[in-house]
Amino acid sequence: MPIVDIPILSMLRTRMQWHQERQRVLAENVANADTPLRARDLGPPNFENALQTAALSLRAQIPAILASQVQRLAICRG
């Protein structure tokens, strides 16, 4: 599995992009502090769907993971 396909890293990348965009919006608020423009902010990203997808993916992989571990153990024991 390529590192870019790992769900937690994808969520981390999304969160970092959100922080970058929020920083840009807040900087605009500061730059326009003396104008009649209203201050803006961004809502936090929703990771609920990504977490559910990752959990389902992990559940699907558990039997294969356990089988490979049992096979390794059997090989080690000879």
Side-chain angles (χ1 to χ4, degrees):
M1 170 184 280
I3 195 164
V4 294
D5 291 341
I6 298 174
I8 191 75
L9 294 180
S10 176
M11 288 186 287
L12 180 61
R13 182 175 47 252
T14 300
R15 184 66 176 198
M16 293 304 293
Q17 289 169 342
W18 175 81
H19 280 290
Q20 182 179 3
E21 182 64 18
R22 184 168 188 250
Q23 180 65 32
R24 186 189 63 74
V25 169
L26 295 179
E28 286 178 5
N29 289 344
V30 171
N32 295 317
D34 58 347
T35 66
L37 294 176
R38 272 182 61 169
R40 298 182 314 149
D41 200 357
L42 297 178
N46 183 359
F47 290 113
E48 193 64 36
N49 290 339
L51 288 173
Q52 288 176 355
T53 302
L56 290 174
S57 174
L58 182 60
R59 277 192 213 125
Q61 294 175 13
I62 286 175
I65 293 170
L66 290 176
S68 70
Q69 293 300 319
V70 167
Q71 185 179 16
R72 273 166 123 191
L73 190 58
I75 290 170
C76 289
R77 288 186 178 173

